[in-house]
């Protein structure tokens, strides 16, 4: 497992293509779910499909990451029918995540699909790389964060413009929790009970899901 550093950020080349790490902390922990954003398709348990990225190459690398902050569940997703995961870097942590090494264009297309918009427009990453934060739009996943660096490349993610304190917390669905649990198993090797102990106690899920109920879903 790799803890994301907080040193100087660089983009680094790979065959002339600048690359960055996308830190996935929600359903994109799960490789099969993330593949739908890359190649197109409908994730298991989801109501809606994805068109896929313009550049359909797989991530150059993946890595288990640990981020400072808090994961919480809020809002309502037309894809999953319940709340989805958001990240507050100022909250208590840590947050298990999965790094996908992508081109900026792939990162832009994944972000667009998170907002149910067609891929095809590159995000301007200048401000987030320089200052650590930028608001690319009003949507729930359009606040860009630089959460550190890994191997000299920036680690970016996206989340809600509001933090945990102002979030409208809500419970995730069983299908969504199964996807997160599968991703935690893949990326971090967590068993059902460890993943359930984490997911069921996150704000939004706590009080709606018990550890035992989530473990039964994942087991």
């Amino acid at each position: 497992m790799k803890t994301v550093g907080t040193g100087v950020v660089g983009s680094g080349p790979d065959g002339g293509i600048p690359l960055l790490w996308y830190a996935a902390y929600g359903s994109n922990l799960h490789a099969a779910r993330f593949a739908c954003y890359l190649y197109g398709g409908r994730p298991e348990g989801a109501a809606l499909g994805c068109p896929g990225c313009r550049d359909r190459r797989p991530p150059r690398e993946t890595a288990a990451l640990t981020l400072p902050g808090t994961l919480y569940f809020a809002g309502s997703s037309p894809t999953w029918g319940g709340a989805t995961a958001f990240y507050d870097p100022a909250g208590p942590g840590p947050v298990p995540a999965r790094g996908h090494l992508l081109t900026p264009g792939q990162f832009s297309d994944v972000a667009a699909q998170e907002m149910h918009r067609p891929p095809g427009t590159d995000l301007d990453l200048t401000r987030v790389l320089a200052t650590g934060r930028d608001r690319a739009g009003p949507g729930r996943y359009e606040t860009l964060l630089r959460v550190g660096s890994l191997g000299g490349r920036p680690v970016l993610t996206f989340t809600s413009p509001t933090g945990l304190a102002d979030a409208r917390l809500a419970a995730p669905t069983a299908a969504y929790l199964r996807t997160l649990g599968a991703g935690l198993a893949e990326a971090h090797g967590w068993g059902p009970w460890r993943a359930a102990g984490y997911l069921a106690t996150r704000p939004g899920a706590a009080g709606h899901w018990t550890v035992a109920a989530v473990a039964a879903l994942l087991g």
Side-chain angles (χ1 to χ4, degrees), residues 98-217:
R98 188 174 201 171
H100 301 284
L101 190 59
L102 307 176
T103 68
Q106 287 177 312
F107 177 77
S108 299
D109 286 351
V110 170
Q113 291 173 85
E114 285 280 15
M115 289 304 305
H116 304 286
R117 294 176 181 157
T121 301
D122 288 340
L123 292 169
D124 183 350
L125 303 178
T126 305
R127 184 176 176 84
V128 67
L129 291 174
T131 69
R133 188 181 184 97
D134 190 21
R135 190 166 179 180
R140 67 192 193 284
Y141 283 117
E142 290 189 298
T143 294
L144 308 177
L145 300 176
R146 175 176 56 79
V147 293
S149 61
L150 182 64
R153 304 183 191 276
V155 181
L156 303 183
T157 194
F158 35 73
T159 189
S160 168
T162 61
L164 173 59
D166 298 317
R168 300 180 65 179
L169 298 177
T173 62
Y176 191 67
L177 288 174
R178 285 192 194 98
T179 303
L180 268 66
L184 290 168
E186 287 179 356
H188 291 265
W190 286 13
W193 281 97
R194 183 174 183 183
Y198 171 70
L199 295 171
T201 57
R202 297 309 88 197
H208 295 274
W209 286 96
T210 66
V211 175
V214 177
L217 285 176

Side-chain angles (χ1 to χ4, degrees), residues 13-102:
D14 186 320
I17 303 171
L19 298 174
L20 57 85
W21 288 98
Y22 159 48
Y25 53 82
S27 63
N28 288 334
L29 284 161
H30 186 29
R33 191 277 176 270
F34 186 59
C36 294
Y37 276 144
L38 289 175
Y39 316 128
R42 183 167 64 87
E44 182 177 355
L48 300 177
C50 309
C53 291
R54 292 166 288 173
D55 180 348
R56 302 198 174 199
R57 287 174 292 180
R60 277 43 167 200
E61 289 184 58
T62 62
L65 306 178
T66 300
L67 307 180
T70 296
L71 179 137
Y72 63 94
F73 297 103
S76 180
S77 166
T79 300
W80 297 102
T84 51
F86 295 94
Y87 170 65
D88 185 343
V95 174
R98 188 174 201 171
H100 301 284
L101 190 59
L102 307 176

